[in-house]
């Protein structure tokens, strides 16, 4: 491919330089938008805890990106193809950068993060702290008083800080709109046909590398305390593995916004259009032209930047869209990807949280594993799919079968995830009784052992007893005294800990050995399935491009993005989050009253809900895949029959064109065209 490109570039040097520059710029823009998007998903649990909101509301925030796309994508895809595409992409990158900075804004206007704790923060403190205030104590804080709004609630209730994140993500979605449809159509317009799939595969591979750095950035920021630089870190009595820990989520958005801002620069120096090579017509295969109802010569003369009146373009929009949706192959492809994207987006959005909650990993480790293990497998799979398609010159039918085969294989392997389950964490009063027995019935946090204490039932402040049982708080463990400070605090005289010295240490018990044993197998299977499924990504994407007329490429790509994000990107995180919320065993309470973030989940129910919903959607999509293959096969056969019936005229036109090209070019200046032949009729 490099030798072919080098020979072709000897004559139109400026063309090759501009195309290469555009490829580099588009790859960087894809990298930037993928980095910020993946970083958003890596901060899900951080945002839940910081703003004290449930998962479904996080889904609303995550889906706001797609709302931004929905507002402008149809018009950008249609009108942008007629205008200066590189500059429109540059404006989009600027808007993405501004939206990313807006997401980080709440950190600088909200108060300091205050988590629930009964542990002394002062290292020099020598006074004993009594976690269990007796009912006769004046300072007792029972359930009734814990629900009373504290001072300052009037101000906080009027301003929900997550609204800024919501609006910033909408702005990110608006800015991202022109990058994919205009960028991909620009490459497909001016690159040789046999190189287009490879170029697009490279760009998409770069876009998958972006999440590697996005999740790694999320891992680093999750280790840093949210108010770093503003608080004394010696006073922080929780660790990154604690359910109350909030990392420096805002720092990553500042970094991602700066990178996105830099990605806009190269597009300002790129031309509106490139000269269309004369060689392109000879390289078009009859299979592709079978989907083009106009003459091949008209396609050859088509220019994406042809001048047109804005009003005339507006009048043609609905008829053009009607023509696009009238293509049965495109319509079925659209329906299939909508269902599969629902599964994919919901799964990816909550996968780090699934690793955290199900396997007991910290947010930092979950993001790290996503970045260095899972995402590279996806990138390698997408790149390998493009290479396979180019090497074996897959036809449209071949690409469709290959994509379906890899999807089915990945689906069957994913069924093994159901067998890689973990038991629930042992928490007294929630998943275990206070005697340590498993109890499936509704269990109360109050028991005879802590009856003398007036304990709030909403403050998640876990301690680990000598008996290996986690207690919701030192008060609910019946602890009377404590010594030490910070994470080294030890609680004593705990009436609910009926073994040993009746002591408990700060933090949740980490005794889920079976979970730690099965976790490596989960990671290995996750890598394998991600690679196999992503193998069909590039062939499936090229099927979308090749089944439509060149004049409709930008609109087809844009409308595909519009519908998938509207019907998958927006609702999937919301209803996935709502289903996950149903598996919550104990909700936290906001300082000003009302339900906050979930403190502990039913692990088994979480696994069934999360995996069941993901694989159930993919199951439904396979029925449409079978129908799509049947329609595609009939369409290809019908077009082949028409090509054979009109073969004489088509062969004459192609022969005349090749003769004209050979007469007008020297062998050193023009690429070889001898590789075209009857055996390539059904090749892309």
């Amino acid at each position: 491919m490099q030798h072919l490109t080098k020979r072709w570039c000897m004559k139109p040097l400026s063309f090759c330089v501009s195309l290469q520059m555009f490829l580099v710029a588009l790859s960087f823009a894809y990298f930037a938008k993928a980095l910020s998007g993946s970083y958003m998903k890596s901060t899900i649990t951080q945002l839940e805890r910081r703003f004290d909101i449930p998962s479904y509301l996080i889904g609303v925030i995550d889906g706001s990106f797609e709302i931004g796309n929905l507002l402008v994508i149809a018009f950008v895809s249609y009108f942008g193809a007629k205008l200066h595409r590189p500059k429109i992409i540059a404006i989009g990158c600027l808007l993405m950068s501004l939206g990313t900075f807006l997401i980080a804004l709440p950190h600088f206007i909200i108060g300091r993060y205050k988590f629930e704790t009964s542990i002394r923060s002062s290292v020099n403190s020598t006074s004993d702290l009594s976690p269990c205030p007796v009912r006769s104590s004046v300072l007792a804080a029972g359930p009734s008083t814990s629900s009373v709004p504290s001072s300052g609630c009037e101000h906080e209730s009027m301003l929900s800080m997550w609204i800024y994140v919501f609006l910033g993500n909408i702005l990110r979605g608006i800015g991202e709109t022109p990058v994919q449809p205009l960028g991909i159509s620009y490459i497909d317009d001016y690159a040789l046909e046999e190189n287009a799939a490879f170029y697009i595969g490279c760009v998409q591979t770069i876009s998958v590398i972006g999440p590697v750095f996005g999740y790694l950035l999320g891992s680093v920021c999750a280790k840093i305390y949210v108010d770093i630089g503003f608080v004394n870190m010696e006073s922080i009595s929780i660790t990154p593995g604690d359910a109350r820990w909030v990392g420096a989520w805002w720092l990553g958005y500042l970094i991602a916004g700066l990178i996105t801002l830099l990605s806009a620069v190269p597009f300002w120096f790129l031309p509106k259009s490139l000269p269309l090579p004369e060689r392109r017509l000879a390289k078009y295969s009859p299979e592709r032209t079978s989907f083009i109802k106009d003459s091949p010569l008209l396609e050859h003369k088509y220019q994406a930047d042809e001048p047109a009146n804005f009003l005339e373009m507006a009048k043609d929009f609905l008829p053009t869209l009607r023509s696009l949706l009238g293509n049965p192959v495109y319509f079925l492809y659209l329906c299939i990807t909508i269902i599969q994207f629902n599964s994919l987006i919901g799964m990816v959005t909550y996968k780090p949280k699934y690793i955290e909650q199900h396997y007991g990993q910290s947010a930092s480790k979950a993001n790290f594993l996503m970045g260095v293990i899972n995402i590279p497998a996806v990138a390698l799979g997408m790149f390998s799919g493009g290479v396979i398609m180019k090497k074996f010159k897959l036809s449209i039918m071949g690409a469709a079968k290959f994509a379906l085969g890899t999807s089915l294989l990945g689906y069957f392997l994913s069924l093994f995830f159901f067998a890689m389950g973990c038991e629930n964490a042992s928490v007294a009063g929630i998943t275990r009784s206070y005697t340590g027995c498993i109890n499936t019935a509704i269990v109360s946090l109050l028991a005879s052992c802590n009856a003398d204490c007036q304990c709030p039932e909403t403050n998640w402040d876990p301690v680990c007893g000598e008996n290996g049982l986690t207690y919701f708080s030192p008060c609910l463990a019946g602890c009377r005294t404590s010594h030490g400070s910070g994470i080294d605090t030890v609680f004593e005289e705990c009436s609910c800990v009926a073994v040993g010295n009746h002591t408990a240490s700060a933090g949740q018990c980490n005794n889920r050995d079976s979970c730690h044993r099965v976790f490596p197998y989960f990671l290995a299977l996750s890598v394998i399935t991600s690679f196999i499924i992503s193998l069909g990504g590039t062939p499936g994407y090229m099927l979308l491009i090749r089944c439509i007329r060149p004049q409709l490429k930008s609109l087809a790509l844009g409308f595909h993005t519009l519908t998938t994000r509207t019907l998958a990107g927006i609702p999937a995180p919301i209803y996935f989050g709502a289903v996950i919320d149903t598996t919550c065993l104990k909700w936290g309470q906001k300082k000003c009253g009302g339900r906050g973030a979930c403190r502990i989940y039913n692990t088994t129910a979480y696994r069934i809900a999360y995996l069941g919903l993901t694989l159930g959607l993919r199951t439904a999509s396979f029925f449409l895949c079978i129908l799509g293959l049947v329609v595609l096969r009939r369409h290809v056969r019908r077009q082949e029959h028409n090509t054979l019936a009109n073969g004489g005229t088509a062969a004459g036109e192609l022969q005349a064109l090749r003769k004209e090209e050979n007469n007008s070019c020297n062998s050193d200046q023009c690429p070889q065209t001898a590789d075209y032949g009857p055996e390539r009729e059904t090749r892309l």
Side-chain angles (χ1 to χ4, degrees):
M1 192 278 296
Q2 294 179 349
H3 176 68
L4 180 63
T5 305
K6 182 177 179 182
R7 293 189 59 194
W8 185 41
C9 291
M10 291 176 64
K11 184 175 180 180
L13 183 61
S14 61
F15 163 78
C16 290
V17 171
S18 297
L19 182 60
Q20 291 170 0
M21 182 178 177
F22 183 84
L23 285 171
V24 172
L26 186 65
S27 297
F28 187 43
Y30 263 67
F31 172 83
K33 75 182 184 69
L35 184 146
S36 59
S38 59
Y39 182 76
M40 163 64 75
K41 296 187 181 300
S42 75
T43 58
I44 278 181
T45 53
Q46 310 294 311
L47 296 176
E48 278 188 20
R49 297 167 185 171
R50 185 64 185 96
F51 301 113
D52 225 359
I53 54 179
S55 294
Y56 86 89
L57 201 51
I58 281 291
V60 173
I61 294 174
D62 188 74
S64 63
F65 178 85
E66 322 300 341
I67 295 176
N69 271 264
L70 172 63
L71 295 175
V72 296
I73 194 169
F75 299 98
V76 168
S77 301
Y78 182 71
F79 296 113
K82 315 291 183 179
L83 305 174
H84 199 303
R85 286 180 281 186
K87 287 188 176 179
I88 295 177
I89 295 175
I91 295 173
C93 291
L94 291 176
L95 291 176
M96 276 196 294
S97 176
L98 181 60
T100 307
F101 289 136
L102 181 59
I103 292 175
L105 181 62
H107 172 74
F108 300 97
I109 59 179
I110 198 174
R112 301 287 173 253
Y113 175 57
K114 297 179 181 179
F115 54 89
E116 305 154 338
T117 183
S118 57
I119 298 175
R120 286 194 305 273
S121 60
S122 175
V123 178
N124 297 324
S125 176
T126 57
S127 61
D128 288 339
L129 175 69
S130 177
C132 173
V134 295
R135 291 187 178 275
S136 60
S137 174
V138 177
L139 299 177
S144 58
T145 59
S146 66
S147 61
V148 177
S150 59
S151 60
C153 283
E154 296 80 5
H155 173 70
E156 284 196 10
S157 62
M158 293 174 61
L159 188 61
S160 297
M161 290 293 109
W162 63 266
I163 294 295
Y164 290 96
V165 182
F166 178 82
L167 295 176
N169 214 28
I170 287 181
L171 192 57
R172 278 189 58 244
I174 293 175
E176 192 267 351
T177 302
V179 177
Q180 179 181 3
L182 300 189
I184 296 299
S185 64
Y186 194 92
I187 292 175
D188 200 57
D189 278 342
Y190 300 115
L192 285 176
E193 184 179 4
E194 68 270 18
N195 293 334
F198 180 74
Y199 288 155
I200 294 174
C202 289
V203 172
Q204 290 184 328
T205 301
I206 296 296
S207 72
V208 180
I209 294 177
V212 174
F213 291 89
Y215 280 107
L216 289 179
L217 180 61
S219 176
V220 172
C221 293
K223 288 182 179 179
I224 304 172
Y225 187 65
V226 59
D227 293 322
I228 184 72
F230 297 96
V231 297
N232 180 11
M233 292 305 297
E234 293 182 357
S235 66
I236 305 303
S237 58
I238 56 176
T239 63
D242 196 287
R244 295 162 293 174
W245 177 272
V246 175
W249 59 273
W250 53 273
L251 181 60
Y253 286 111
L254 296 181
I255 297 174
L258 180 61
I259 294 174
T260 308
L261 183 63
L262 294 176
S263 70
V265 176
F267 291 104
W268 295 106
F269 303 98
L270 287 164
K272 180 180 180 182
S273 61
L274 298 174
L276 192 64
E278 295 292 330
R279 177 172 177 253
R280 283 196 56 164
L281 179 59
K283 299 299 294 181
Y284 285 153
S285 64
E287 185 185 69
R288 182 177 179 185
T289 58
S290 69
F291 288 97
I292 304 169
K293 299 180 181 178
D294 298 331
S295 169
L297 296 177
L298 291 178
E299 179 198 0
H300 169 60
K301 295 178 181 178
Y302 167 71
Q303 297 286 342
D305 59 318
E306 60 186 0
N309 180 273
F310 185 84
L311 184 60
E312 292 178 358
M313 290 191 296
K315 290 181 179 179
D316 291 338
F317 177 73
L318 289 179
T320 306
L321 182 61
R322 190 181 304 112
S323 174
L324 178 65
L325 296 179
N327 185 330
V329 178
Y330 177 81
F331 182 77
L332 281 173
Y333 181 92
L334 196 63
C335 295
I336 292 168
T337 52
I338 285 173
I339 298 176
Q340 290 188 341
F341 274 36
N342 269 274
S343 174
L344 176 65
I345 292 172
M347 182 270 293
V348 171
T349 299
Y350 293 100
K351 189 167 187 177
K353 181 172 180 176
Y354 179 76
I355 294 175
E356 289 180 54
Q357 299 295 333
H358 195 76
Y359 295 101
Q361 306 297 323
S362 67
S364 177
K365 187 174 181 179
N367 290 329
F368 178 80
L369 293 173
M370 284 287 291
V372 301
I373 296 180
N374 207 296
I375 301 300
V378 175
L380 181 61
M382 294 186 69
F383 179 78
S384 301
V387 171
I388 291 174
M389 188 172 184
K390 179 178 174 62
K391 181 177 179 60
F392 295 98
K393 300 177 181 178
L394 295 178
S395 64
I396 290 182
M397 280 299 302
K401 291 177 180 178
F402 182 77
L404 177 59
T406 56
S407 184
L408 278 171
L409 180 58
Y411 170 81
F412 288 119
L413 288 176
S414 298
L415 295 176
F416 288 99
F417 284 126
F418 283 103
M420 298 180 178
C422 288
E423 74 279 2
N424 286 315
S426 299
V427 181
I430 298 180
T431 62
R432 296 284 196 277
S433 67
Y434 275 85
T435 59
C437 299
I438 299 177
N439 193 342
T440 57
I442 298 177
V443 183
S444 173
L445 287 172
L446 300 178
S448 58
C449 61
N450 55 33
D452 294 336
C453 303
Q454 191 166 346
C455 303
E457 299 181 47
T458 57
N459 294 339
W460 172 252
D461 186 17
V463 293
C464 180
E466 281 186 279
N467 54 0
L469 199 60
T470 298
Y471 296 89
F472 203 80
S473 68
C475 181
L476 288 169
C479 301
R480 304 289 180 173
T481 62
S482 68
H483 70 269
S485 61
I487 58 176
D488 297 323
T489 301
V490 176
F491 298 91
E492 299 173 329
E493 300 180 28
C494 302
S495 57
C496 293
V497 182
V499 297
N501 296 323
H502 306 282
T503 62
S505 57
Q508 192 170 347
C509 294
N510 188 17
N511 53 5
R512 301 168 70 189
D513 294 334
S514 61
C515 257
H516 298 308
R517 287 195 298 267
V518 78
F519 185 56
Y521 297 101
F522 168 82
L523 291 179
L525 184 61
S526 179
V527 170
I528 295 172
T529 54
S530 297
F531 173 78
I532 292 175
I533 293 174
S534 60
L535 275 174
T538 301
Y541 201 77
M542 293 309 299
L543 171 63
L544 168 64
I545 294 177
R546 296 306 184 215
C547 73
I548 54 177
R549 289 182 289 172
Q551 295 90 333
L552 301 179
K553 279 197 297 280
S554 291
L555 180 62
L557 291 170
F559 190 77
H560 174 265
T561 306
L562 167 69
T563 53
T564 53
R565 287 180 171 173
T566 303
L567 302 179
I570 295 175
I574 298 176
Y575 67 75
F576 263 79
V579 170
I580 290 173
D581 284 339
T582 62
T583 66
C584 182
L585 292 174
K586 186 63 178 178
W587 291 95
Q589 184 175 357
K590 295 182 180 180
K591 183 176 66 173
C592 300
R595 194 175 74 174
C598 183
R599 299 307 186 191
I600 185 171
Y601 290 89
N602 184 328
T603 302
T604 303
Y606 194 133
R607 181 177 74 254
I608 294 175
Y610 175 75
L611 296 178
L613 192 55
T614 300
L615 297 179
L617 288 169
R618 289 174 59 188
T619 302
S621 70
F622 289 136
F623 292 101
L624 283 178
C625 285
I626 297 174
L627 177 61
L629 278 178
V630 173
V631 173
L632 181 61
R633 181 181 291 108
R634 290 179 179 177
H635 193 68
V636 170
R637 288 178 178 176
R638 183 168 60 251
Q639 296 299 337
E640 287 177 350
H641 176 76
N642 294 338
T643 301
L644 292 175
N646 301 323
T649 304
E653 289 181 358
L654 291 174
Q655 183 66 28
L657 180 65
R658 287 198 296 271
K659 183 181 295 184
E660 179 182 352
E661 180 181 3
N662 291 332
N663 291 337
S664 60
C665 296
N666 294 325
S667 60
D668 293 336
Q669 295 175 330
C670 293
Q672 297 292 332
T673 59
D675 59 344
Y676 178 84
E679 69 277 8
R680 300 193 62 219
E681 274 191 1
T682 59
R683 304 300 180 191
L684 282 176

